[in-house]
Coordinates of all heavy atoms in Angstrom, one line a residue:
M1 N 129.9 75.7 146.2 CA 128.8 75.1 145.5 C 127.7 74.6 146.4 O 128.0 74.1 147.5 CB 129.3 73.8 144.7 CG 130.3 74.1 143.6 SD 129.4 74.7 142.2 CE 130.7 75.6 141.4
T2 N 126.5 74.9 146.0 CA 125.4 74.4 146.8 C 125.1 73.0 146.6 O 125.6 72.3 145.7 CB 124.1 75.2 146.4 OG1 123.8 74.9 145.1 CG2 124.4 76.7 146.6
K3 N 124.3 72.4 147.6 CA 124.0 71.0 147.5 C 123.2 70.7 146.3 O 123.4 69.6 145.7 CB 123.2 70.7 148.8 CG 123.3 69.3 149.2 CD 122.5 69.1 150.5 CE 123.2 68.1 151.4 NZ 122.5 67.8 152.6
S4 N 122.3 71.6 145.9 CA 121.5 71.3 144.7 C 122.4 71.2 143.4 O 122.1 70.4 142.5 CB 120.4 72.3 144.5 OG 120.9 73.6 144.4
V5 N 123.4 72.1 143.3 CA 124.3 72.0 142.2 C 125.1 70.7 142.1 O 125.2 70.1 141.1 CB 125.2 73.2 142.2 CG1 126.3 73.1 141.1 CG2 124.5 74.5 142.0
R6 N 125.5 70.3 143.3 CA 126.3 69.0 143.4 C 125.4 67.9 143.0 O 125.8 66.9 142.3 CB 126.9 68.8 144.7 CG 128.0 69.8 145.0 CD 128.7 69.5 146.3 NE 129.8 70.4 146.4 CZ 130.4 70.7 147.5 NH1 130.0 70.1 148.6 NH2 131.4 71.6 147.5
G7 N 124.1 67.9 143.5 CA 123.2 66.9 143.1 C 122.9 66.8 141.6 O 122.8 65.8 141.0
Y8 N 122.7 68.0 141.0 CA 122.5 68.1 139.6 C 123.6 67.5 138.8 O 123.4 66.7 137.9 CB 122.2 69.6 139.2 CG 122.0 69.8 137.7 CD1 120.8 69.4 137.2 CD2 122.9 70.3 136.9 CE1 120.5 69.5 135.8 CE2 122.7 70.5 135.6 CZ 121.5 70.1 135.0 OH 121.3 70.3 133.7
V9 N 124.9 67.9 139.2 CA 126.0 67.4 138.5 C 126.2 65.9 138.7 O 126.5 65.2 137.7 CB 127.3 68.2 138.9 CG1 128.6 67.5 138.4 CG2 127.2 69.6 138.5
G10 N 125.9 65.5 139.9 CA 125.9 64.0 140.1 C 124.9 63.3 139.3 O 125.2 62.2 138.8
G11 N 123.7 63.8 139.1 CA 122.7 63.2 138.2 C 123.1 63.2 136.8 O 122.9 62.2 136.1
I12 N 123.7 64.3 136.3 CA 124.2 64.3 134.9 C 125.3 63.3 134.7 O 125.4 62.6 133.7 CB 124.7 65.7 134.6 CG1 123.5 66.7 134.6 CG2 125.4 65.8 133.2 CD1 122.5 66.4 133.5
V13 N 126.2 63.2 135.7 CA 127.3 62.2 135.6 C 126.7 60.8 135.6 O 127.2 59.9 134.8 CB 128.3 62.4 136.7 CG1 129.3 61.2 136.8 CG2 129.1 63.7 136.6
G14 N 125.8 60.5 136.4 CA 125.1 59.2 136.5 C 124.4 58.9 135.2 O 124.6 57.8 134.6
L15 N 123.7 59.8 134.6 CA 123.0 59.6 133.3 C 124.0 59.4 132.2 O 123.8 58.5 131.3 CB 122.0 60.7 133.0 CG 120.8 60.8 133.9 CD1 120.0 62.1 133.6 CD2 119.9 59.6 133.6
G16 N 125.1 60.2 132.2 CA 126.1 60.0 131.2 C 126.8 58.6 131.3 O 127.0 58.0 130.3
S17 N 127.0 58.2 132.5 CA 127.6 56.8 132.7 C 126.6 55.7 132.2 O 127.1 54.8 131.6 CB 127.9 56.6 134.2 OG 128.9 57.6 134.6
L18 N 125.4 55.9 132.5 CA 124.4 54.9 132.1 C 124.3 54.9 130.6 O 124.2 53.8 130.0 CB 123.0 55.2 132.7 CG 122.8 54.8 134.1 CD1 121.5 55.3 134.6 CD2 122.9 53.3 134.3
A19 N 124.3 56.0 129.9 CA 124.2 56.1 128.5 C 125.5 55.4 127.9 O 125.4 54.7 126.9 CB 124.1 57.5 128.0
A20 N 126.7 55.7 128.4 CA 127.9 55.1 127.9 C 127.9 53.6 128.1 O 128.3 52.9 127.2 CB 129.1 55.7 128.6
Y21 N 127.3 53.1 129.2 CA 127.3 51.7 129.4 C 126.3 51.0 128.4 O 126.5 50.0 127.9 CB 126.8 51.3 130.8 CG 126.6 49.8 131.0 CD1 127.7 49.0 131.1 CD2 125.4 49.3 131.1 CE1 127.6 47.7 131.3 CE2 125.2 47.9 131.2 CZ 126.3 47.1 131.3 OH 126.2 45.8 131.5
W22 N 125.2 51.7 128.2 CA 124.2 51.2 127.2 C 124.8 51.1 125.8 O 124.6 50.1 125.1 CB 123.0 52.1 127.2 CG 121.9 51.8 126.2 CD1 121.2 50.6 126.2 CD2 121.5 52.5 125.0 NE1 120.3 50.6 125.2 CE2 120.5 51.7 124.4 CE3 121.9 53.7 124.5 CZ2 119.9 52.2 123.2 CZ3 121.3 54.1 123.3 CH2 120.3 53.4 122.7
V23 N 125.6 52.1 125.4 CA 126.3 52.0 124.1 C 127.3 50.9 124.1 O 127.4 50.2 123.1 CB 126.9 53.4 123.8 CG1 127.8 53.3 122.5 CG2 125.9 54.4 123.5
F24 N 128.0 50.7 125.2 CA 129.0 49.7 125.3 C 128.3 48.3 125.2 O 128.8 47.4 124.5 CB 129.7 49.7 126.7 CG 130.7 48.6 126.9 CD1 131.9 48.5 126.3 CD2 130.3 47.6 127.8 CE1 132.8 47.5 126.5 CE2 131.2 46.5 128.0 CZ 132.4 46.5 127.4
A25 N 127.2 48.1 125.8 CA 126.5 46.8 125.8 C 125.9 46.5 124.4 O 125.8 45.4 124.0 CB 125.4 46.8 126.9
A26 N 125.5 47.6 123.7 CA 124.9 47.4 122.4 C 125.9 47.3 121.2 O 125.5 47.0 120.1 CB 123.9 48.5 122.2
S27 N 127.1 47.6 121.5 CA 128.1 47.8 120.4 C 128.7 46.4 120.0 O 128.8 45.5 120.8 CB 129.2 48.7 120.8 OG 128.8 50.0 120.9
A28 N 129.1 46.4 118.7 CA 129.8 45.2 118.2 C 131.3 45.3 118.6 O 131.7 46.3 119.2 CB 129.7 45.2 116.7
P29 N 132.1 44.3 118.4 CA 133.5 44.3 118.7 C 134.2 45.5 118.0 O 133.8 46.0 116.9 CB 134.1 43.0 118.2 CG 132.9 42.1 118.1 CD 131.7 43.0 117.8
V30 N 135.3 46.0 118.5 CA 136.0 47.1 118.0 C 136.8 46.6 116.7 O 137.4 45.6 116.7 CB 137.1 47.6 119.0 CG1 137.8 48.8 118.4 CG2 136.4 48.1 120.3
S31 N 136.7 47.5 115.7 CA 137.5 47.2 114.5 C 138.5 48.3 114.3 O 138.3 49.4 114.9 CB 136.5 47.1 113.2 OG 135.9 48.4 113.0
M32 N 139.5 48.1 113.5 CA 140.5 49.1 113.3 C 140.0 50.4 112.6 O 140.4 51.5 113.1 CB 141.6 48.5 112.4 CG 142.9 49.4 112.4 SD 143.5 49.9 114.0 CE 144.2 48.4 114.6
P33 N 139.1 50.3 111.6 CA 138.5 51.6 111.1 C 137.8 52.4 112.1 O 137.9 53.6 112.2 CB 137.6 51.1 110.0 CG 138.1 49.8 109.6 CD 138.7 49.2 110.8
L34 N 137.0 51.7 113.0 CA 136.3 52.5 114.1 C 137.3 53.1 115.0 O 137.1 54.3 115.5 CB 135.4 51.5 114.8 CG 134.0 51.2 114.2 CD1 133.3 50.2 114.9 CD2 133.2 52.5 114.1
L35 N 138.3 52.4 115.4 CA 139.3 52.9 116.3 C 140.0 54.1 115.7 O 140.2 55.2 116.4 CB 140.3 51.9 116.7 CG 141.4 52.3 117.7 CD1 140.8 52.7 119.0 CD2 142.4 51.1 117.8
R36 N 140.4 54.0 114.4 CA 141.0 55.2 113.7 C 140.1 56.4 113.7 O 140.5 57.5 113.9 CB 141.5 54.8 112.3 CG 142.8 54.1 112.3 CD 143.3 53.9 110.9 NE 142.3 53.1 110.2 CZ 142.6 52.2 109.3 NH1 143.8 52.0 109.0 NH2 141.6 51.5 108.8
A37 N 138.8 56.2 113.4 CA 137.9 57.3 113.3 C 137.7 57.9 114.7 O 137.7 59.1 114.8 CB 136.5 56.8 112.8
A38 N 137.6 57.1 115.7 CA 137.5 57.6 117.1 C 138.6 58.4 117.5 O 138.5 59.5 118.1 CB 137.3 56.4 118.1
I39 N 139.8 58.0 117.2 CA 141.0 58.7 117.6 C 141.1 60.0 116.8 O 141.4 61.1 117.3 CB 142.3 57.9 117.4 CG1 142.3 56.7 118.4 CG2 143.6 58.7 117.4 CD1 143.4 55.7 118.1
C40 N 140.8 60.0 115.5 CA 140.8 61.2 114.7 C 139.8 62.2 115.2 O 140.1 63.4 115.4 CB 140.4 60.8 113.2 SG 140.3 62.2 112.1
F41 N 138.5 61.8 115.5 CA 137.5 62.7 116.0 C 137.9 63.3 117.4 O 137.6 64.4 117.7 CB 136.2 62.1 116.0 CG 135.6 62.1 114.6 CD1 135.3 60.9 114.0 CD2 135.3 63.2 113.9 CE1 134.7 60.8 112.7 CE2 134.7 63.2 112.6 CZ 134.5 62.0 112.0
A42 N 138.5 62.4 118.2 CA 138.9 62.9 119.6 C 140.0 63.9 119.5 O 140.0 64.9 120.2 CB 139.3 61.7 120.4
T43 N 140.9 63.7 118.6 CA 142.0 64.7 118.4 C 141.5 66.0 117.8 O 141.9 67.1 118.3 CB 143.1 64.1 117.4 OG1 143.5 62.8 117.9 CG2 144.2 65.0 117.2
L44 N 140.6 65.9 116.9 CA 139.9 67.1 116.4 C 139.2 67.9 117.4 O 139.2 69.1 117.5 CB 139.0 66.8 115.2 CG 139.7 66.5 113.9 CD1 138.7 66.0 112.9 CD2 140.4 67.8 113.3
T45 N 138.4 67.1 118.3 CA 137.7 67.7 119.4 C 138.6 68.4 120.4 O 138.3 69.6 120.8 CB 136.8 66.7 120.1 OG1 135.9 66.1 119.2 CG2 136.1 67.3 121.2
A46 N 139.7 67.8 120.8 CA 140.6 68.4 121.7 C 141.3 69.6 121.1 O 141.4 70.6 121.8 CB 141.7 67.4 122.1
L47 N 141.6 69.5 119.8 CA 142.3 70.7 119.2 C 141.3 71.9 119.1 O 141.7 73.0 119.4 CB 142.7 70.3 117.8 CG 143.5 71.3 117.0 CD1 144.8 71.7 117.7 CD2 143.7 70.8 115.6
C48 N 140.1 71.6 118.7 CA 139.1 72.7 118.7 C 138.8 73.3 120.0 O 138.6 74.5 120.1 CB 137.8 72.2 118.1 SG 137.8 71.8 116.3
E49 N 138.8 72.5 121.1 CA 138.6 73.0 122.4 C 139.8 73.8 122.9 O 139.6 74.8 123.6 CB 138.3 71.8 123.3 CG 137.6 72.2 124.6 CD 136.3 72.8 124.5 OE1 135.4 72.2 123.8 OE2 136.0 73.9 125.1
L50 N 141.0 73.3 122.6 CA 142.1 74.1 123.0 C 142.3 75.4 122.3 O 142.9 76.3 122.8 CB 143.4 73.2 122.9 CG 143.5 72.0 123.8 CD1 144.7 71.1 123.4 CD2 143.7 72.5 125.2
L51 N 141.8 75.5 121.1 CA 141.8 76.7 120.3 C 140.6 77.6 120.4 O 140.2 78.3 119.5 CB 142.1 76.4 118.8 CG 143.4 75.7 118.5 CD1 143.5 75.3 117.0 CD2 144.6 76.6 118.8
A52 N 139.9 77.5 121.6 CA 138.7 78.3 121.8 C 139.0 79.8 121.7 O 140.1 80.2 122.0 CB 138.2 77.9 123.2
Y53 N 138.1 80.5 121.3 CA 138.2 81.9 121.1 C 137.5 82.7 122.2 O 136.5 82.3 122.8 CB 137.7 82.4 119.7 CG 136.2 82.1 119.5 CD1 135.2 83.0 119.8 CD2 135.9 80.8 119.0 CE1 133.9 82.7 119.7 CE2 134.5 80.5 118.8 CZ 133.6 81.5 119.1 OH 132.2 81.1 118.9
K54 N 138.1 83.9 122.5 CA 137.5 84.7 123.5 C 136.4 85.6 122.8 O 136.7 86.1 121.8 CB 138.5 85.6 124.2 CG 139.4 84.9 125.1 CD 138.7 84.7 126.4 CE 139.7 84.1 127.4 NZ 139.0 83.7 128.6
K55 N 135.3 85.7 123.5 CA 134.2 86.6 123.0 C 134.6 88.1 123.3 O 135.2 88.3 124.4 CB 132.9 86.2 123.5 CG 132.4 84.9 123.0 CD 131.1 84.5 123.5 CE 130.6 83.2 123.0 NZ 129.3 82.8 123.5
A56 N 134.2 89.0 122.5 CA 134.6 90.4 122.6 C 133.9 91.0 123.9 O 132.7 90.8 124.2 CB 134.1 91.2 121.4
A57 N 134.7 91.7 124.7 CA 134.3 92.4 125.9 C 133.6 91.5 126.9 O 132.9 92.0 127.7 CB 133.4 93.6 125.5
R58 N 133.9 90.3 126.9 CA 133.4 89.4 128.0 C 134.4 88.4 128.4 O 135.5 88.3 127.8 CB 132.2 88.5 127.4 CG 131.0 89.3 127.0 CD 129.9 88.4 126.6 NE 128.9 89.1 125.8 CZ 128.1 88.5 125.0 NH1 128.0 87.2 125.0 NH2 127.2 89.2 124.3
S59 N 134.2 87.8 129.5 CA 135.1 86.8 130.0 C 134.8 85.4 129.6 O 135.3 84.4 130.1 CB 135.2 86.8 131.6 OG 133.9 86.5 132.1
E60 N 133.9 85.3 128.6 CA 133.5 84.0 128.1 C 134.3 83.6 126.9 O 135.0 84.4 126.3 CB 132.0 84.1 127.6 CG 131.1 84.5 128.7 CD 129.7 84.8 128.1 OE1 129.6 84.9 126.9 OE2 128.8 85.0 128.9
S61 N 134.3 82.3 126.6 CA 135.0 81.8 125.4 C 134.0 80.9 124.7 O 133.1 80.3 125.2 CB 136.3 81.1 125.8 OG 136.0 79.9 126.5
G62 N 134.3 80.7 123.4 CA 133.5 79.8 122.6 C 134.4 78.8 121.8 O 135.6 79.1 121.6
S63 N 133.8 77.7 121.4 CA 134.6 76.8 120.5 C 133.7 76.1 119.6 O 132.5 76.1 119.8 CB 135.4 75.8 121.4 OG 134.7 74.7 121.7
I64 N 134.3 75.4 118.6 CA 133.5 74.6 117.7 C 133.7 73.2 117.9 O 133.6 72.3 117.0 CB 133.9 75.0 116.2 CG1 135.3 74.8 115.9 CG2 133.4 76.5 115.9 CD1 135.7 74.9 114.5
A65 N 134.1 72.8 119.1 CA 134.4 71.4 119.4 C 133.2 70.5 119.3 O 133.4 69.3 119.2 CB 135.0 71.3 120.9
F66 N 132.0 71.0 119.3 CA 130.8 70.2 119.2 C 130.7 69.6 117.8 O 130.1 68.6 117.6 CB 129.5 70.9 119.6 CG 129.2 72.0 118.6 CD1 128.3 71.7 117.6 CD2 129.7 73.3 118.7 CE1 127.9 72.7 116.7 CE2 129.4 74.3 117.8 CZ 128.5 74.0 116.8
L67 N 131.3 70.2 116.8 CA 131.2 69.7 115.4 C 131.8 68.4 115.2 O 131.2 67.5 114.7 CB 131.7 70.8 114.4 CG 130.9 72.1 114.3 CD1 131.6 73.1 113.5 CD2 129.5 71.8 113.8
P68 N 133.1 68.2 115.6 CA 133.6 66.8 115.5 C 132.9 65.8 116.4 O 132.9 64.6 116.1 CB 135.1 67.0 115.9 CG 135.3 68.3 116.3 CD 134.1 69.1 116.0
M69 N 132.4 66.3 117.5 CA 131.7 65.3 118.4 C 130.4 64.8 117.7 O 130.1 63.6 117.7 CB 131.3 66.0 119.7 CG 132.4 66.1 120.7 SD 131.7 66.8 122.2 CE 133.2 67.4 123.0
L70 N 129.7 65.7 117.1 CA 128.5 65.4 116.4 C 128.8 64.5 115.2 O 128.1 63.5 114.9 CB 127.7 66.6 115.9 CG 127.0 67.4 117.0 CD1 126.4 68.6 116.5 CD2 126.0 66.5 117.8
A71 N 129.9 64.8 114.5 CA 130.3 64.0 113.3 C 130.7 62.6 113.7 O 130.4 61.6 113.0 CB 131.4 64.7 112.6
S72 N 131.3 62.5 114.9 CA 131.7 61.2 115.3 C 130.5 60.3 115.6 O 130.6 59.0 115.5 CB 132.6 61.3 116.6 OG 131.8 61.7 117.7
V73 N 129.4 60.8 116.1 CA 128.2 60.1 116.3 C 127.7 59.5 115.0 O 127.2 58.3 115.0 CB 127.1 60.9 117.0 CG1 125.8 60.2 117.1 CG2 127.6 61.4 118.4
V74 N 127.8 60.2 114.0 CA 127.3 59.7 112.7 C 128.3 58.7 112.0 O 127.9 57.7 111.5 CB 127.0 60.9 111.7 CG1 126.6 60.4 110.4 CG2 125.9 61.8 112.3
V75 N 129.5 59.1 112.0 CA 130.5 58.3 111.3 C 131.0 57.0 112.1 O 131.1 56.0 111.5 CB 131.8 59.2 111.0 CG1 132.9 58.4 110.3 CG2 131.4 60.3 110.1
A76 N 131.2 57.2 113.4 CA 131.7 56.0 114.2 C 130.9 55.8 115.5 O 131.4 56.1 116.6 CB 133.1 56.3 114.5
P77 N 129.6 55.4 115.4 CA 128.8 55.3 116.6 C 129.2 54.0 117.3 O 128.6 52.9 117.1 CB 127.4 55.2 116.0 CG 127.5 54.6 114.7 CD 128.9 55.1 114.2
H78 N 130.1 54.1 118.2 CA 130.7 52.9 118.9 C 131.1 53.4 120.3 O 131.4 54.6 120.5 CB 131.8 52.3 118.2 CG 132.1 50.9 118.5 ND1 133.0 50.6 119.5 CD2 131.6 49.8 118.0 CE1 133.1 49.3 119.6 NE2 132.3 48.8 118.7
W79 N 131.3 52.4 121.3 CA 131.7 52.8 122.6 C 133.2 53.3 122.6 O 133.5 54.1 123.5 CB 131.5 51.7 123.6 CG 132.5 50.5 123.4 CD1 132.3 49.4 122.6 CD2 133.8 50.4 123.9 NE1 133.4 48.6 122.6 CE2 134.4 49.2 123.4 CE3 134.6 51.2 124.7 CZ2 135.6 48.7 123.7 CZ3 135.9 50.7 125.0 CH2 136.4 49.5 124.5
I80 N 134.0 52.9 121.7 CA 135.3 53.3 121.6 C 135.4 54.8 121.3 O 136.3 55.5 121.8 CB 136.2 52.5 120.7 CG1 137.7 52.7 120.9 CG2 135.9 52.8 119.2 CD1 138.2 52.1 122.2
T81 N 134.4 55.3 120.5 CA 134.4 56.7 120.2 C 134.1 57.5 121.5 O 134.7 58.6 121.8 CB 133.3 57.0 119.2 OG1 133.6 56.2 118.0 CG2 133.2 58.5 118.8
I82 N 133.2 57.0 122.3 CA 132.9 57.7 123.6 C 134.1 57.7 124.5 O 134.4 58.7 125.1 CB 131.7 57.0 124.3 CG1 130.4 57.1 123.5 CG2 131.5 57.6 125.7 CD1 129.2 56.4 124.0
A83 N 134.8 56.6 124.6 CA 136.0 56.5 125.4 C 137.1 57.5 124.9 O 137.7 58.2 125.7 CB 136.5 55.1 125.4
C84 N 137.3 57.6 123.6 CA 138.3 58.5 123.1 C 137.9 60.0 123.3 O 138.7 60.8 123.6 CB 138.5 58.2 121.6 SG 139.4 56.7 121.3
L85 N 136.6 60.3 123.1 CA 136.1 61.7 123.3 C 136.2 62.0 124.8 O 136.6 63.2 125.1 CB 134.7 61.8 122.8 CG 134.5 61.8 121.3 CD1 133.0 61.9 121.0 CD2 135.2 63.0 120.7
A86 N 136.0 61.1 125.7 CA 136.1 61.3 127.1 C 137.6 61.6 127.5 O 137.9 62.5 128.3 CB 135.6 60.2 127.9
L87 N 138.5 60.8 126.9 CA 139.9 61.0 127.2 C 140.4 62.4 126.6 O 141.1 63.1 127.3 CB 140.7 59.9 126.5 CG 142.2 60.0 126.7 CD1 142.6 59.8 128.2 CD2 142.9 58.9 125.9
A88 N 139.9 62.8 125.5 CA 140.2 64.1 125.0 C 139.7 65.2 125.9 O 140.3 66.2 126.1 CB 139.6 64.3 123.6
A89 N 138.4 65.0 126.4 CA 137.9 66.0 127.3 C 138.7 66.1 128.6 O 138.9 67.2 129.2 CB 136.4 65.6 127.7
V90 N 139.2 64.9 129.1 CA 140.0 64.9 130.3 C 141.3 65.7 130.1 O 141.7 66.5 130.9 CB 140.3 63.5 130.8 CG1 141.4 63.5 131.8 CG2 139.0 62.9 131.4
V91 N 141.9 65.5 128.9 CA 143.1 66.2 128.6 C 142.9 67.7 128.5 O 143.7 68.5 129.0 CB 143.7 65.7 127.2 CG1 144.8 66.6 126.7 CG2 144.2 64.3 127.4
V92 N 141.8 68.1 127.9 CA 141.5 69.5 127.8 C 141.2 70.1 129.1 O 141.7 71.2 129.5 CB 140.3 69.7 126.8 CG1 139.8 71.2 126.9 CG2 140.7 69.4 125.4
E93 N 140.4 69.5 129.9 CA 140.1 70.0 131.3 C 141.3 70.0 132.2 O 141.4 70.9 133.0 CB 138.9 69.2 131.9 CG 137.6 69.3 131.2 CD 137.1 70.8 131.2 OE1 137.3 71.5 132.2 OE2 136.4 71.1 130.3
A94 N 142.2 69.1 132.0 CA 143.4 69.1 132.8 C 144.3 70.3 132.4 O 145.1 70.8 133.2 CB 144.2 67.8 132.7
N95 N 144.2 70.7 131.2 CA 144.9 71.9 130.7 C 144.4 73.2 131.1 O 145.1 74.2 131.1 CB 144.9 71.8 129.1 CG 146.3 71.9 128.6 OD1 147.3 72.0 129.3 ND2 146.4 71.8 127.3
R96 N 143.1 73.2 131.5 CA 142.5 74.4 132.0 C 142.5 74.4 133.5 O 141.8 73.6 134.1 CB 141.0 74.5 131.5 CG 140.9 74.7 130.1 CD 139.5 74.8 129.7 NE 139.3 75.0 128.3 CZ 138.2 74.9 127.7 NH1 137.1 74.6 128.4 NH2 138.1 75.0 126.4
N97 N 143.1 75.4 134.1 CA 143.1 75.5 135.6 C 142.3 76.7 136.0 O 142.4 77.2 137.1 CB 144.6 75.7 136.1 CG 145.4 74.4 135.8 OD1 144.9 73.3 135.8 ND2 146.7 74.6 135.6
R98 N 141.4 77.1 135.1 CA 140.6 78.3 135.4 C 139.4 78.2 136.2 O 138.9 79.1 136.8 CB 140.2 79.0 134.0 CG 141.3 79.4 133.2 CD 140.8 80.0 131.9 NE 140.3 78.9 131.1 CZ 140.0 79.0 129.8 NH1 140.1 80.1 129.2 NH2 139.6 78.0 129.1
H99 N 138.9 77.0 136.3 CA 137.6 76.8 137.0 C 137.6 75.6 138.0 O 138.6 74.8 138.0 CB 136.4 76.7 136.1 CG 136.5 75.7 135.0 ND1 137.0 76.0 133.8 CD2 136.2 74.4 135.0 CE1 137.0 74.9 133.0 NE2 136.5 73.9 133.8
A100 N 136.6 75.5 138.8 CA 136.5 74.5 139.8 C 136.4 73.1 139.1 O 135.9 72.9 138.0 CB 135.3 74.7 140.6
P101 N 136.9 72.0 139.8 CA 136.9 70.7 139.3 C 135.5 70.2 139.0 O 135.3 69.4 138.0 CB 137.6 69.8 140.3 CG 138.4 70.8 141.1 CD 137.7 72.1 141.0
I102 N 134.5 70.6 139.7 CA 133.1 70.2 139.4 C 132.6 70.7 138.1 O 131.9 70.0 137.4 CB 132.2 70.6 140.6 CG1 130.9 69.8 140.5 CG2 131.9 72.1 140.6 CD1 130.0 69.9 141.7
K103 N 133.1 71.8 137.6 CA 132.8 72.3 136.3 C 133.4 71.4 135.2 O 132.7 71.2 134.2 CB 133.2 73.8 136.1 CG 132.4 74.7 137.0 CD 132.9 76.2 136.7 CE 132.1 77.1 137.6 NZ 132.5 78.5 137.3
G104 N 134.6 71.0 135.4 CA 135.2 70.1 134.5 C 134.5 68.7 134.4 O 134.4 68.2 133.4
L105 N 134.1 68.3 135.6 CA 133.4 67.0 135.6 C 132.0 67.1 134.9 O 131.6 66.2 134.1 CB 133.1 66.6 137.1 CG 132.4 65.3 137.3 CD1 133.2 64.1 136.8 CD2 132.1 65.1 138.8
F106 N 131.4 68.3 135.1 CA 130.1 68.5 134.3 C 130.4 68.5 132.8 O 129.6 67.9 132.1 CB 129.5 69.8 134.8 CG 128.2 70.1 134.1 CD1 127.0 69.5 134.4 CD2 128.2 71.1 133.1 CE1 125.9 69.8 133.7 CE2 127.0 71.4 132.4 CZ 125.9 70.8 132.7
N107 N 131.4 69.2 132.4 CA 131.7 69.3 131.0 C 132.1 67.9 130.4 O 131.7 67.6 129.3 CB 132.9 70.2 130.7 CG 132.5 71.7 131.0 OD1 131.3 72.0 131.0 ND2 133.5 72.5 131.2
L108 N 132.7 67.1 131.2 CA 133.1 65.7 130.7 C 131.8 64.9 130.6 O 131.7 64.2 129.6 CB 134.0 65.1 131.7 CG 134.4 63.6 131.5 CD1 135.1 63.5 130.2 CD2 135.2 63.1 132.6
A109 N 130.9 65.0 131.5 CA 129.7 64.2 131.5 C 128.8 64.6 130.3 O 128.2 63.8 129.7 CB 128.9 64.4 132.8

């Protein structure tokens, strides 16, 4: 990896961390319905990502994992949702040994 790619990924990680902290600071206390929604959407996201499909005649894959992520922003906009989605992303990236760790960090951010 070049220095500029590492700098770019570092910037994305920093901005993602700042955004997560901003949501944490602005959120109300955690309630049980929000926690259940966050866990449900994180589980759906991980499942969709693990069931990614291969595109024809290419080494690429696609998934619909963005759909539960977007739905979680509307249904349960809370810091606990971000934490659950991040945990789901870590589980999925740990399951994939196909690419460099910096790619997994970028996907997480």
Side-chain angles (χ1 to χ4, degrees):
M1 293 283 156
T2 63
K3 204 175 215 183
S4 61
V5 170
R6 288 185 180 161
Y8 179 73
V9 171
I12 294 297
V13 169
L15 287 173
S17 299
L18 282 173
Y21 177 74
W22 178 66
V23 171
F24 174 76
S27 293
V30 179
S31 65
M32 191 53 71
L34 280 173
L35 181 61
R36 278 189 298 220
I39 291 171
C40 177
F41 283 117
T43 304
L44 284 172
T45 299
L47 184 65
C48 289
E49 196 66 49
L50 289 172
L51 294 175
Y53 58 90
K54 287 284 189 187
K55 293 183 179 177
R58 296 187 200 161
S59 62
E60 302 167 351
S61 65
S63 89
I64 58 167
F66 70 94
L67 292 172
M69 284 184 198
L70 289 175
S72 70
V73 172
V74 175
V75 175
H78 200 269
W79 70 266
I80 197 70
T81 304
I82 295 173
C84 288
L85 289 174
L87 181 64
V90 167
V91 168
V92 168
E93 290 299 329
N95 234 355
R96 291 183 182 168
N97 296 328
R98 296 180 286 193
H99 53 265
I102 196 166
K103 291 181 180 181
L105 182 62
F106 178 78
N107 290 340
L108 175 63

